[in-house]
């Protein structure tokens, strides 16, 4: 399952794990499920201000090793590439951390079993590893029954999009060229949107390229989503949408010439949603 850093504090923890460890005290937990304890220690060891802040937050000494010992790292979790493969070593590591930092001895001397592990990861990783995708306009709602009203209320206040492991892998590996395919609703545009946000935040100019008449609507929506997704004004100025019709050699040559001029520094950041049949030739 997808993982990002998150924090949890009572009373949220009390309700999430009340059946596993009732009566929890107040505990601040910082999780870095994509970093090992060694990587975390290296990241904070040279920043005294950060170390002091973390010490105040976690109520521990100024020793970086003590800080990492209190944080939840990927050492205590299964491999994100195979989250279903939970070894006895992982269960033991998570159990030691859980008892040391969060709950003390588990209720009735219970050990961290596979079911307990799945419960903890699902409860903490699920709500905390989501991404909200904005809409260009408010969707029209038609509520006719009480059950629909309850469902719509839940969607309005809690609905989010959870990234699949494959999507997280694509975003983390960032291959130079990638073609995403799949039926509607599988998250293709979400991956393109998050990739565009990352590129803009890194200061790269991003070109949204419409390659055919059928792709204009999708590319226009993606362009406006990127404009209204918390990017700075400077980042927004780096976002351009270009419109081509790659139906013949002349159109292809014009598109290649235009974007080659834009890549004078050797790099080009292009996103094409609903790419046309000649897009492969264009690439």
């Amino acid at each position: 399952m997808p993982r990002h850093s998150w924090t949890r504090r009572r009373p949220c923890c009390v309700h999430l794990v009340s059946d596993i460890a009732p009566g929890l005290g107040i505990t601040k937990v910082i999780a870095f499920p994509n970093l090992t304890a060694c990587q975390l220690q290296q990241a904070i060891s040279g920043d005294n201000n950060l170390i002091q802040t973390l010490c105040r937050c976690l109520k521990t000494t100024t020793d970086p090793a003590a800080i990492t010992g209190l944080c939840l790292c990927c050492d205590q979790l299964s491999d994100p590439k195979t989250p279903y493969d939970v070894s006895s070593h992982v269960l033991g590591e998570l159990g030691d951390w859980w008892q040391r930092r969060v709950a003390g001895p588990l209720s009735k001397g219970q050990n961290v079993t596979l079911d307990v592990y799945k419960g903890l990861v699902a409860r903490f990783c699920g709500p905390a590893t989501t991404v909200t995708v904005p809409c260009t306009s408010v969707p029209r709602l038609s509520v006719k029954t009480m059950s629909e009203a309850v469902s719509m209320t839940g969607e309005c206040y809690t609905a989010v999009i959870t990234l699949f492991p494959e999507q997280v892998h694509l975003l983390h590996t960032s291959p130079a060229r990638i073609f995403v395919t799949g039926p509607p609703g599988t998250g293709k545009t979400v991956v393109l949107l998050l990739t565009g946000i990352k590129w803009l935040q890194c200061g790269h100019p991003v070109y949204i390229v419409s390659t055919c008449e059928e792709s204009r609507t999708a590319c226009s929506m993606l362009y406006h989503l990127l404009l209204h997704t918390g990017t700075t004004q400077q980042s927004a100025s780096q976002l351009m949408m270009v419109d081509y019709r790659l139906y013949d050699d002349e159109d292809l040559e014009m598109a290649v010439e235009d974007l080659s001029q834009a890549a004078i520094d050797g790099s080009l950041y292009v996103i094409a949603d609903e790419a046309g049949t000649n897009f492969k030739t264009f690439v």
Side-chain angles (χ1 to χ4, degrees):
M1 63 181 61
R3 299 173 181 170
H4 303 291
S5 299
W6 74 90
T7 61
R8 286 292 189 217
R9 192 171 185 174
R10 190 182 181 184
C12 182
C13 280
V14 172
H15 297 295
L16 280 176
V17 297
S18 59
D19 58 326
I20 298 175
L24 289 180
I26 296 176
T27 305
K28 176 70 70 81
V29 174
I30 303 179
F32 300 94
N34 293 318
L35 295 178
T36 65
C38 181
Q39 290 172 329
L40 176 60
Q41 184 171 344
Q42 290 176 353
I44 68 175
S45 60
D47 192 332
N48 292 329
N49 291 332
L50 178 58
I51 291 176
Q52 293 176 4
T53 300
L54 289 174
C55 289
R56 289 194 299 268
C57 173
L58 299 173
K59 296 181 179 180
T60 186
T61 66
T62 57
D63 181 8
I67 295 174
T68 56
L70 298 178
C71 296
L72 179 65
C73 299
C74 67
D75 307 81
Q76 290 89 29
L77 299 172
S78 60
D79 190 331
K81 296 180 181 178
T82 55
Y84 48 82
D85 185 12
V86 183
S87 66
S88 58
H89 174 74
V90 169
L91 294 178
E93 289 293 319
L94 180 63
D96 291 343
W97 177 86
W98 176 262
Q99 295 179 25
R100 180 177 70 253
R101 181 56 183 162
V102 181
L106 294 172
S107 59
K108 300 180 181 180
Q110 180 184 10
N111 294 320
V112 174
T113 63
L114 179 60
D115 289 337
V116 172
Y117 174 89
K118 290 180 178 179
L120 292 175
V121 174
R123 296 176 199 185
F124 285 103
C125 292
T129 56
T130 55
V131 57
T132 300
V133 178
C135 297
T136 53
S137 61
V138 179
R140 181 173 178 266
L141 301 179
S142 178
V143 179
K144 300 177 181 179
T145 65
M146 179 62 71
S147 60
E148 288 180 353
V150 173
S151 176
M152 289 297 181
T153 301
E155 290 182 6
C156 288
Y157 289 98
T158 64
V160 287
I161 295 176
T162 301
L163 297 179
F164 292 101
E166 295 82 2
Q167 293 171 306
V168 176
H169 176 70
L170 290 178
L171 294 170
H172 282 179
T173 54
S174 300
R177 296 176 182 173
I178 186 166
F179 182 80
V180 182
T181 183
T186 50
K188 302 184 297 296
T189 300
V190 171
V191 171
L192 298 180
L193 175 65
L194 296 177
T195 299
I197 292 173
K198 179 173 67 174
W199 286 348
L200 289 171
Q201 290 177 342
C202 291
H204 303 305
V206 176
Y207 292 85
I208 308 299
V209 178
S210 174
T211 61
C212 60
E213 186 70 31
E214 294 77 12
S215 71
R216 178 182 294 177
T217 300
C219 288
S220 178
M221 183 188 73
L222 184 59
Y223 173 79
H224 288 287
L225 287 174
L226 285 170
L227 282 179
H228 298 89
T229 314
T231 55
T232 64
Q233 185 175 1
Q234 182 179 2
S235 296
S237 67
Q238 296 287 89
L239 179 65
M240 284 77 62
M241 179 172 174
V242 291
D243 197 0
Y244 297 113
R245 298 292 176 266
L246 305 183
Y247 297 127
D248 53 40
D249 292 341
E250 184 178 351
D251 293 333
L252 282 168
E253 290 177 5
M254 180 178 67
V256 171
E257 183 178 351
D258 290 347
L259 291 176
S260 295
Q261 291 297 321
I264 55 176
D265 64 345
S267 299
L268 186 63
Y269 296 83
V270 170
I271 297 177
D273 202 355
E274 300 293 341
T277 56
N278 286 333
F279 186 72
K280 182 178 180 180
T281 304
F282 164 74
V283 173

